[in-house]
Amino acid sequence: MPKGIQKLIQRAKLSLKRSILRSRKRRAAFKKAGGFRYACSGFIRAIRARSPRAFMSLAGILLMLALVIIIPVTLAQGGRDAGKGAEPIVLSENAVNIADMLTPAPTQRWIEPTPVPTPTPVSMGKGATGAEVKAVQQRLMELGYMDYDEPTEKYGSITKEAVEVFQRRHGLTVDGYIGQETYDRLMREDAMPYMATIGDEGTDIEELQKRLVELDYMKHATGYFGDETAAAVKDFQDRNHLSVDGMIGNITKEALYSEDAIPRSLSYGEKSEDVLKYQKRLFKLGYLTTEPDGTFGKDTVAAVKLFQELNGLIADGHIGPQTKSELMSSSAQANALTIGMNGDTVKSMQKLLKKLGYLSSADGYFGSGTEAAVRAFQKQNGLSVDGKVGRATMTKLVSGNAKAAPSNQPASTPGSGGGSSNSGGSSSYSSGASADRLIEIALSKLGCRYRTGAKGPSTFDCSGFVYWCLNQAGVRQGYMTSKTWRSVSKYKKISSIDSVQKGDILVFRMSSSKGHVGIAINGSEMVDASSGEGCVVRRSYKTDYWRRYFYCAYRIF
């Protein structure tokens, strides 16, 4: 073979090797797809697309055809002219197939992929604000880690504590911080509801233990859930007909704070010297009307409940640690008719005041107008002026020598703040308990810290706040949970949120067992202890949220 042709073939081979080395994937695809047939189909497509690379390939193919067909024929003819001794040129297999091998593999147009945005990891802690905080609070409330309230966009101390308890329950790092792991676990459908058990510790455990102490199941609150706490919980569950497992879930927690909670103390059916001792005290204060006999019967239950109600305790009818302490103290309030009461006894007393000119009518409800009339009567008759109808006041009322109201003094209307029923003006005497007084007391506690089960004077939950403010304003109201407030019968019930007035108690129902209460300070705002805000706040009760959950309101004044 002539040296020129050999060099040309060698260069073609070298170029082919380099091309194969640069694109092994292309070569593999070429072989797999069927060699020359695949190359031809790709080449035709490229020609149709008027690709520059296709035209270059065409030029290469034409050149190889010249090498493989034209030049060898010419050389063969020249060999015949040179004489018989010349050997015919035999092309190698590589030279025969070189056209196929030089045909480039089909190429695909490069399409730039659309960039996928990287999600920002969730990250929030105390002090954070925004819609994500609101979603976190809502979820914590659903699972029982926070008390029900209108969720806010503020990540406060109560939210942080609730997150810590959630993390403790799920075996996460307890730091009160919402990272991606905590957030994902919180939002999962199988997130576990609140539960306190052996080994747990924190402020929530301390508050639960305080309630167990109140009910006489424990002696001290330590903040650590140990064997003693578990035993106390089991005892409570057994006495209150709950599933006995020694753990405090949402059902046991609700039962603990209910006014129906059965304490480990003196109760109906017992007979002892202790019962006799407390009966004698109840008799002296005017609550027990039967002779003390040491047997805790129905009359004693009624006397205990009345004492608890008038002395600001949970009216459960049991003589527990708090009731024992208050009953035997020098500050124990004697039995008396007072603001907030209703019934036939109240109506009979009102009739006496009406007869003497202090009250315009008798409706059976002891409102602020009735209290003002009682104060006027006490002042006119030289009695201690407290607005309550106790033994001394009642004795004077039924006597034949009670002084009537002065002729220039207008009669008060039973449920009013002391104004005349004729002119509507204000009375010359003022009521000790009034809507204005209640609101003044409530506003003085703005900013006080929220704490589940707390009843004042510096920490509150929603029902504890209403309870404390009413008692400070002169309304002897026993403690009731937000759920229990739904079934009150002694106050006038307001069914429309648009009919609420200042001093009314607002009641909201979030579920069968969850609710919220607050004090209306005008026609659109309330003061309440907010778990979402973490403190006592002043805010609107006419938002879509509160309208959705409004249950009723009670008019006390």
Side-chain angles (χ1 to χ4, degrees), residues 492-500 550-555:
K492 181 180 179 181
K493 188 174 182 179
I494 310 299
S495 299
S496 171
I497 195 171
D498 294 314
S499 300
V500 172
F550 177 76
Y551 183 76
C552 72
Y554 292 103
R555 187 148 299 153

Side-chain angles (χ1 to χ4, degrees), residues 356 358 373-385 396 401-409:
L356 293 170
Y358 293 96
V374 171
R375 284 174 173 271
F377 172 81
Q378 291 170 329
K379 183 178 181 181
Q380 187 72 5
N381 286 272
L383 301 170
S384 177
V385 180
K396 191 67 176 177
N401 60 356
K403 294 181 181 180
S407 58
N408 62 344
Q409 180 174 292

